[in-house]
Amino acid sequence: MSTQSRSREQETLADIVVVDYGLGNLRSVSRGLERAGASVSIESDPEAFGEADGVVLPGVGAFGEGMENAESVRDALVEVADSDTPLFGICLGMQMLLTESEEAEREGQGDVKGLDLVPGRNVRFETGQTVPHMGWNDLSIQREHPLVEGVDGRYAYFVHSYYAVPDDEDAVVATTDYGGSFPAIVANDDGTVFGTQFHPEKSGETGLTILRNFVDLCAE
């Protein structure tokens, strides 16, 4: 580890809350954020969200289960978004930022609504494509955003069967390709609510760069 990396870890740049709603790689996400210079707390108490410099919504699993588990923190997450405190969704957490997902319909759960912070819908990969999509894919930056500084063309690690289709094309920050182009990173109009379909905590130096960018944004 370089001296610069060690000094960054020793210096707390921002206080970050990782949301605990029963789903997600909480420890690995927390370790990645700590490497990026954050002081991290894992919280299920919505009152803690408003005191943080930034909030991370991780997630693995099904959309319906995610929204059901997150019901107790839904209003608090919306308040975070309204306050302009950076809100970062990872994998399922990114999908939960959208309005809805056809995954719930396929599983017979009916009308399951997301947080609707980035208007759009999650859809399944086309018939004939192997799912889940699992592996390393390169990122193609589509518009400027602090999260993606220094990562254009670099590779990140994906594991998912559904992907985001935002209502507004401008919500797409970066794309990748798996039998066709799809959003790898999305963000709202203000750029303070955003998410990655891939796992930055599993994406080596690319992921660490993104987490550092996030921590730096929170520290501003």
Side-chain angles (χ1 to χ4, degrees):
M1 183 184 297
S2 68
T3 301
Q4 182 178 4
S5 296
R6 284 197 300 270
S7 62
R8 185 182 179 97
E9 288 184 36
Q10 292 167 357
E11 178 187 5
T12 299
L13 302 177
D15 294 320
I16 306 298
V17 162
V18 174
V19 181
D20 180 3
Y21 62 106
L23 297 173
N25 300 318
L26 304 181
R27 296 300 176 188
S28 57
V29 170
S30 297
R31 285 195 296 269
L33 288 164
E34 288 167 352
R35 287 187 65 198
S39 173
V40 182
S41 60
I42 298 173
E43 300 283 355
S44 58
D45 181 1
E47 291 187 6
F49 302 175
E51 300 173 1
D53 297 318
V55 176
V56 176
L57 180 66
V60 293
F63 183 84
E65 182 182 9
M67 292 310 306
E68 180 180 356
N69 282 23
E71 183 59 35
S72 63
V73 297
R74 175 193 283 266
D75 291 346
L77 291 171
V78 173
E79 289 176 6
V80 169
D82 290 342
S83 73
D84 291 334
T85 297
L87 174 59
F88 183 2
I90 294 175
C91 197
L92 174 63
M94 185 211 79
Q95 295 182 2
M96 291 165 61
L97 299 178
L98 275 73
T99 309
E100 60 187 358
S101 177
E102 72 173 29
E103 181 177 7
E105 297 173 2
R106 285 174 174 263
E107 295 189 355
Q109 296 170 324
D111 188 23
V112 177
K113 294 297 184 182
L115 296 169
D116 197 27
L117 300 174
V118 179
R121 180 175 173 82
N122 298 292
V123 302
R124 188 175 172 88
F125 284 110
E126 296 292 334
T127 301
Q129 289 179 273
T130 300
V131 293
H133 165 225
M134 182 182 301
W136 295 82
N137 288 72
D138 61 328
L139 304 176
S140 177
I141 306 307
Q142 302 301 307
R143 70 175 177 91
E144 292 185 359
H145 190 282
L147 196 69
V148 295
E149 291 183 10
V151 299
D152 192 22
R154 292 169 62 176
Y155 282 74
Y157 186 75
F158 293 78
V159 183
H160 61 118
S161 299
Y162 292 78
Y163 63 93
V165 181
D167 290 347
D168 185 351
E169 291 184 0
D170 289 340
V172 180
V173 175
T175 60
T176 193
D177 188 89
Y178 183 64
S181 179
F182 70 87
I185 304 175
V186 299
N188 68 346
D189 289 342
D190 295 336
T192 56
V193 177
F194 42 84
T196 60
Q197 182 60 76
F198 56 89
H199 288 274
E201 76 280 8
K202 298 180 180 179
S203 296
E205 286 300 317
T206 301
L208 183 57
T209 298
I210 286 172
L211 293 177
R212 284 173 173 163
N213 289 343
F214 170 64
V215 171
D216 288 343
L217 177 61
C218 294
E220 291 179 356

